[in-house]
Amino acid sequence: LFGYPISEAHVENGYLVQWTERERLELHPEYHGTNSEVQLGLLGRELVGGGGRRETDSRLPPPPSFYFPETRQLVSEPFLSYWQRNGGLSVFGYPISTRFINDNDVQVQWFERARFEYHPELPDPYKVSLGLLGLEALRLAGEGQTEIEVVNSPAPETPLQIGLSQGGESADPAFFDNVRQAGSELGEGLVRLDNIYNFYHVVSRSADGTLTYDWQRLDRVLDAIKSMGKEPLICLSYMPETMSASGDSRIHPPASYDEWASLVRATVSHLNVERRLGIRYWEVWNEPNQWNFWQGSFQDYLRVYDVTLQAALSVDPSIRIGGPAFSNFEPNGINEFMGHEANQGASGRVDFLSWHAYGQSPDQIAEQIRQARSIIAQYPQLHPELFITEFNVLPGGEGDTSANGSADKVDGAISFLASVEAMQRERLDRALLFELKDGLGATSFWGRWGVLTYDAKPKPVYYVLKAFQNRPASSRLPIKIKGGPTDGTIGVMAYGSPQKSLLFLWYKGDRPAHIRITLPGEYVGVNYGITLFDATHNDPAQTGVTTLTQLAVRNARDLVFDAKPDSLFILSSTSR
């Protein structure tokens, strides 16, 4: 009768109210214990002053009617029977207009609490229905409903593959042991590992100056990554202190480039020849544009890249080498890097071009990918894939954490999805979310970057990443957003078919939004499990509750949501 609820219960003008599509329900405690305790708001009186209606004309035959002297109005069939059958005066109030045909060519009549509409094209008992006064009133108040239409026209899947980065966080070779199961549930993908030489104490120098290598700790970490069903990406960094120009720094160029080349050859040989791990991707250094990660010139970095390239390929010509892994997209530096390799002739090579993106908006990420393609086009002899080898929310929290601890909260999950949507749209090849697991902090949730805490508690972004990785393959569905903001405040991604489908919906506005998702007719009969993430649902950093709970199961025809600011919904089909 009243339509679906489009808000949660809240207080307006001193009364507890809840909006539905057609009405505003009000709790009146002064009538406690009577039939008037819950009433409909006087939306008819509030909205009848609006334009867009004409008085009764000759197309309306004079049916049997009842006269209401209180408002001097007649109510005739079929509105009279509907009024009497569904509650009469106590529900709808008195008529406050004549019956007329409005500008949409629909017969209507206004009552104090409703607008009756006659739709002869509908089956009984829906020929007489109530107008959508709840939605109309909220639109007038600036809280209108956003309509999201999912189009049943699957688009080809993009090449984008999502993986993870890991910044070390611990020198403990057993660091990943408590997250192996949770990690494996995220499916296949790359895991980028940097700081391999220093964290895992690979290199040492004997008294006579000879270099020796100990691979045990690194091997155990790589075995843990492989046990999750994932593929390591090795970031060759940082400089073993004993090999650096200063003799004690991990971020200086090597004292001997021949020694660095020997270390690279030994690393590739141990992992891909002796252990036959088949590691495909090797990145040269991490963020060499950051003074706290590389205290040499960019020319020094380019020399390290070239020496690494030749040393690695001499052991395993099948591997793919890339860089420069800038901390942010620097078009001038990337252009210099590409130009340098192009000038090397046959020995120059960039198999993947990489940079990082922290705190970047989807529009910024999209523009970076477009700029990267424009730069690559200047060097047709090079054909790199495009990698963002680290991305996440804005940094800046205390102790090298995310700003406002947002990596722990639903904010981080929304940022992840919004970024991925832009990456898919621009056809990025790979993106690696930083990072798989937090280091040790004073509490479980301390604002660090992992999708899992140090003690293996999943964050909202973990569940979102898991759902995305297990989405129906090769089946992106186009989206049309109508009646809502177009600035990215509302985001949607949809995948699948009537047999199996998955939708993500997120909202970043500063006041509640009323959102309806419309699926194609083929989806009638499909039910969806709804999982909500917001400040009070499935956000353990804010609620302390670590158990994932489902909000509801709804039919495809019933996907109407009252979204709070910073909220995210996962809709996963369960049955037909």
Side-chain angles (χ1 to χ4, degrees), residues 174-431:
F175 181 67
F176 287 134
D177 287 1
N178 68 333
V179 296
R180 290 193 186 196
Q181 180 60 38
S184 67
E185 292 176 7
L186 295 175
E188 298 178 353
L190 294 177
V191 174
R192 174 184 184 263
L193 196 65
D194 71 16
N195 208 356
I196 63 169
Y197 296 128
N198 311 90
F199 262 16
Y200 307 123
H201 310 294
V202 170
V203 180
S204 59
R205 192 183 297 274
S206 62
D208 64 0
T210 304
L211 292 177
T212 58
Y213 308 126
D214 182 352
W215 307 106
Q216 294 183 65
R217 297 176 184 85
L218 177 60
D219 282 345
R220 182 166 177 183
V221 172
L222 293 175
D223 287 344
I225 292 173
K226 297 282 284 187
S227 74
M228 300 179 205
K230 303 188 185 305
E231 177 184 356
L233 180 156
I234 298 296
C235 178
L236 291 161
S237 64
Y238 293 103
M239 189 63 58
E241 286 88 343
T242 188
M243 292 174 56
S244 73
S246 64
D248 60 0
S249 172
R250 65 176 187 157
I251 57 176
H252 283 164
S256 166
Y257 282 88
D258 288 340
E259 280 192 342
W260 173 255
S262 295
L263 173 59
V264 172
R265 285 192 294 268
T267 306
V268 178
S269 179
H270 174 72
L271 297 180
N272 277 11
V273 178
E274 297 170 19
R275 296 206 59 206
R276 300 182 180 180
L277 294 182
I279 296 174
R280 292 184 295 164
Y281 291 103
W282 300 74
E283 192 174 35
V284 182
W285 216 259
N286 178 65
E287 301 187 350
N289 59 329
Q290 291 281 90
W291 186 248
N292 55 335
F293 290 128
W294 178 250
Q295 292 187 6
S297 69
F298 193 55
Q299 290 303 312
D300 291 333
Y301 168 75
L302 293 175
R303 185 179 178 188
V304 166
Y305 182 88
D306 289 338
V307 169
T308 303
L309 176 70
Q310 299 308 318
L313 291 176
S314 71
V315 177
D316 186 351
S318 71
I319 64 177
R320 300 182 67 79
I321 306 287
F326 280 164
S327 61
N328 54 286
F329 188 81
E330 292 189 4
N332 292 336
I334 287 174
N335 186 57
E336 183 178 354
F337 172 69
M338 292 291 294
H340 172 80
E341 288 306 304
N343 290 334
Q344 302 305 303
S347 62
R349 183 163 164 176
V350 181
D351 294 316
F352 62 93
L353 179 66
S354 63
W355 70 94
H356 299 167
Y358 285 90
Q360 302 293 295
S361 71
D363 287 345
Q364 289 172 319
I365 290 174
E367 177 59 24
Q368 290 169 7
I369 297 170
R370 289 192 290 268
Q371 285 191 55
R373 293 197 192 284
S374 178
I375 293 171
I376 289 171
Q378 300 175 47
Y379 307 101
Q381 66 271 53
L382 302 175
H383 307 282
E385 297 178 86
L386 291 183
F387 284 23
I388 295 179
T389 49
E390 290 185 21
F391 76 101
N392 210 313
V393 293
L394 188 71
E398 184 179 355
D400 192 20
T401 60
S402 58
N404 302 313
S406 56
D408 285 346
K409 305 172 187 175
V410 67
D411 301 12
I414 292 173
S415 175
F416 166 77
L417 281 178
S419 299
V420 167
E421 190 280 328
M423 294 169 182
Q424 281 196 315
R425 180 167 17 101
E426 297 299 330
R427 302 184 67 79
L428 185 75
D429 292 297
R430 290 182 184 264

Side-chain angles (χ1 to χ4, degrees), residues 2-78:
F2 303 141
Y4 292 113
I6 57 174
S7 83
E8 295 186 356
H10 60 281
V11 175
E12 290 185 16
N13 299 320
Y15 289 101
L16 184 68
V17 305
Q18 185 163 18
W19 289 84
T20 71
E21 291 176 303
R22 294 179 166 87
E23 299 292 347
R24 182 182 66 232
L25 279 65
E26 302 176 350
L27 179 66
H28 287 261
E30 67 270 26
Y31 298 118
H32 178 67
T34 72
N35 290 338
S36 300
E37 186 173 4
V38 175
Q39 301 178 16
L40 300 185
L42 295 169
L43 288 186
R45 287 199 176 277
E46 294 172 17
L47 297 177
V48 74
R53 63 180 196 273
R54 302 193 300 269
E55 292 304 318
T56 305
D57 65 19
S58 59
R59 287 181 289 171
L60 298 179
S65 60
F66 186 86
Y67 179 68
F68 289 82
E70 294 84 355
T71 54
R72 299 180 181 180
Q73 299 292 346
L74 288 170
V75 177
S76 55
E77 295 295 344

Side-chain angles (χ1 to χ4, degrees), residues 135-189:
L135 290 173
E136 293 171 18
L138 289 178
R139 285 193 186 103
L140 289 173
E143 299 181 14
Q145 178 166 287
T146 297
E147 299 284 344
I148 296 172
E149 180 184 356
V150 179
V151 181
N152 192 22
S153 179
E157 186 66 281
T158 71
L160 178 67
Q161 296 183 51
I162 299 296
L164 293 155
S165 276
Q166 185 66 47
E169 299 288 5
S170 171
D172 181 3
F175 181 67
F176 287 134
D177 287 1
N178 68 333
V179 296
R180 290 193 186 196
Q181 180 60 38
S184 67
E185 292 176 7
L186 295 175
E188 298 178 353

